[in-house]
Amino acid sequence: MASDRDLHDLALDIAREAGALALRRRTEGVAIAATKSALADIVTEADREVEALVRARLAAEAPRDGFLGEETGAEGGESGLTWVVDPIDGTVNYAYGMPQYAVSIAVVAGEPDPDRWEAVAAAVYAPAVDEMFHAVRHDGAYLDGARLRVAELTDAGGLIATGFGYDPSTHVGDLAAVGRVLPLARDLRRAGAASLDLSYVAAGRLDGYFERGLQPWDHAAGALIVREAGGRFGRGDADAAGRVLNVAAAPELYDRLFAAALQP
């Protein structure tokens, strides 16, 4: 069986190759392939092509492992490991030519369920700015090889990020949560790519992040990167729409941010 470090190195290698393909397709022009849960929730041809590249690499190099991807769903494996992949996190940003998008790849052990698995290795690669966030369980989180550590909160409050779902009926509740969180914040950000928001918490570029309704591939890699950088990541109860709350933050902010975001 491959070691955690071997899995980490493979995740980084695949993420870089996948990111290079995404960047190349972006420069060539983006074709919208479909919409998913709502009209604003788009899939580009590049999403599908990048995920196909990742699956082909894994079929050749980790054929006994399972797979869970945003575009092509789940496939069981024999090894007890599953690769959880978002080929282009931040697809709307990508389609509009904004640089806040990333390839997110995690390897998890156990059941392919975020409340039951243990993340082993993670890579979040932002090809537009050539930044690789990565982590190995029990061995730290890194940005291009430099060790990461979450920020220490100051008296000015936290720089906090969030995101909103594509379903317009959920926006009132999301905005209410923002109102409850604002007293904790020096300012708020909404960049549109969960994997990068989580990685930025790990890097100290953000103090906290909260969002309802993330899918497993949105947070699998970023959550490990946060935890290995000394931060906390957790999931709360679902709201009336079935959307689970996800929170990441520096330890001294986490409990307050979670409580504020979770309140009905």
Side-chain angles (χ1 to χ4, degrees):
M1 178 179 289
S3 69
D4 290 1
R5 178 58 63 176
D6 290 338
L7 293 167
H8 162 272
D9 292 349
L10 179 58
L12 263 65
D13 187 55
I14 295 175
R16 285 196 183 279
E17 183 178 356
L21 175 59
L23 184 61
R24 188 163 67 250
R25 292 293 181 258
R26 174 61 250 181
T27 61
E28 294 168 353
V30 175
I32 306 302
T35 60
K36 293 187 286 187
S37 60
L39 287 176
D41 190 5
I42 61 172
V43 181
T44 68
E45 292 290 357
D47 285 272
R48 295 174 173 177
E49 189 176 0
V50 171
E51 186 157 315
L53 181 155
V54 175
R55 292 200 72 156
R57 286 286 309 270
L58 291 173
E61 300 183 55
R64 298 182 63 249
D65 297 350
F67 185 86
L68 176 60
E70 180 175 18
E71 306 307 331
T72 55
E75 182 176 316
E78 304 170 357
S79 67
L81 298 174
T82 300
W83 294 76
V84 186
V85 175
D86 192 338
I88 302 177
D89 181 31
T91 300
V92 173
N93 289 345
Y94 180 78
Y96 273 75
M98 298 173 66
Q100 291 88 6
Y101 65 90
V103 177
S104 177
I105 300 177
V107 192
V108 303
E111 294 295 321
D113 176 339
D115 295 318
R116 301 173 68 183
W117 70 39
E118 180 183 6
V120 174
V124 173
Y125 180 53
V129 293
D130 192 23
E131 289 188 329
M132 177 72 80
F133 300 89
H134 51 109
V136 183
R137 64 177 171 184
H138 312 313
D139 196 28
Y142 303 85
L143 169 56
D144 295 322
R147 190 72 178 255
L148 295 180
R149 192 73 186 172
V150 295
E152 295 184 7
L153 196 64
T154 71
D155 292 340
L159 184 61
I160 298 173
T162 192
F164 305 128
Y166 290 110
D167 182 352
S169 69
T170 65
H171 292 169
V172 170
D174 290 337
L175 290 171
V178 168
R180 295 191 302 270
V181 166
L182 275 175
L184 304 175
R186 68 187 302 166
D187 208 345
L188 195 74
R189 297 290 182 266
R190 195 269 190 260
S195 62
L196 288 178
D197 285 333
L198 291 164
S199 298
Y200 283 11
V201 171
R205 297 176 181 178
L206 293 169
D207 297 296
Y209 163 71
F210 70 99
E211 184 171 352
R212 284 194 179 273
L214 296 182
Q215 298 297 325
W217 44 81
D218 294 320
H219 62 77
L224 178 63
I225 294 169
V226 167
R227 287 169 172 155
E228 288 295 327
R232 294 176 64 187
F233 173 87
R235 289 159 50 79
D237 294 336
D239 64 8
R243 302 179 308 147
V244 172
L245 175 66
N246 302 265
V247 177
E252 59 268 34
L253 176 63
Y254 178 86
D255 287 334
R256 287 180 289 156
L257 178 58
F258 200 109
L262 187 61
Q263 291 173 20

